[in-house]
Amino acid sequence: MSDAGFLSKLASRGEALKRIADLPKPVVFTNGVFDVLHRGHVTYLEQARALGGSLVVALNTDASAKRLGKGDDRPLNKELDRAVVMAALESVSLVTWFDEDTPVTLISELKPDVLVKGGDYDMRKLAETAVVESYGGTAVAIAFVDGYSTTALVRKIRSTS
C-alpha cells in the first residue's frame, strides 16, 4: 500500500463527521494518546476492530495530551506523526483528533455504535458511556495486555541512558 493509501485514513474533525457515514457498520470508536505504539496498543486496537465493521481512532492533540499529566516532555511524538502511524495499521479505518480533555463532544457528534476503552476504566463512571448509551450504542472495556505501557517504556529508556 502506498503512503497515499493509508494517509487517506486521516480526517479532520469536520471530515470525520462526513466520512463516518460511509464506514462499514457497526462503527467502533476508541481514543487515546498512542504516543509510542507497542504490542499492547496493537493488540487492543485489533480486539476493538473485531467488535464491528470499522474502527475510528480519535487521538488527543498534543495540547490535550500534555494536560493528562504524563510528563512535561510528553507526548514524545507529535500528533501528526502519531496519526500517520495509527493510520498505517490495518485494523484502523479512520483517524481524527480532539483537543478537549475528553472525547465526549466528539463522540456526541460522531455517534459511533460501540465505544471501546482500556480495561483500567470503569465504563459505568465514564461520561462517554452515558453519551453512547443515550442514542442506543454500547460501551465495552477491553483488558490490557499485561506488561505493556508507554509510560513504563519511557521510564525504562530513561533509566538506561
Side-chain angles (χ1 to χ4, degrees):
M1 181 181 258
S2 71
D3 245 16
F6 69 80
L7 291 178
S8 68
K9 294 182 186 179
L10 302 178
S12 68
R13 192 169 180 150
E15 278 180 34
L17 288 170
K18 296 172 189 161
R19 292 176 55 190
I20 197 166
D22 296 328
L23 292 176
K25 306 296 186 264
V27 173
V28 180
F29 175 99
T30 195
N31 66 280
V33 177
F34 296 104
D35 191 6
V36 178
L37 207 59
H38 54 69
R39 180 181 180 170
H41 287 142
V42 296
T43 301
Y44 166 82
L45 293 166
E46 188 66 30
Q47 290 173 339
R49 171 61 179 78
L51 296 173
S54 56
L55 176 61
V56 174
V57 177
L59 295 176
N60 293 76
T61 61
D62 292 344
S64 174
K66 284 189 181 306
R67 292 192 302 270
L68 294 176
K70 294 183 181 222
D72 292 340
D73 59 349
R74 299 282 305 279
L76 299 173
N77 289 297
K78 301 294 180 209
E79 61 196 53
L80 183 58
D81 295 330
R82 292 183 283 120
V84 168
V85 169
M86 190 64 56
L89 298 176
E90 185 178 348
S91 59
V92 176
S93 307
L94 189 71
V95 180
T96 192
W97 299 263
F98 65 100
D99 196 43
E100 300 86 356
D101 291 345
T102 73
V104 170
T105 303
L106 180 59
I107 291 168
S108 66
E109 293 168 358
L110 297 179
K111 293 186 174 39
D113 302 296
V114 182
L115 167 69
V116 175
K117 298 291 281 183
D120 59 335
Y121 288 94
D122 181 346
M123 300 303 284
R124 296 169 309 217
K125 293 182 179 179
L126 289 177
E128 294 96 314
T129 297
V131 170
V132 171
E133 290 178 346
S134 75
Y135 58 77
T138 59
V140 178
I142 293 178
F144 279 131
V145 178
D146 286 336
Y148 294 94
S149 152
T150 302
T151 301
L153 183 59
V154 169
R155 200 176 304 125
K156 181 179 180 182
I157 291 167
R158 286 182 177 145
S159 72
T160 60
S161 52

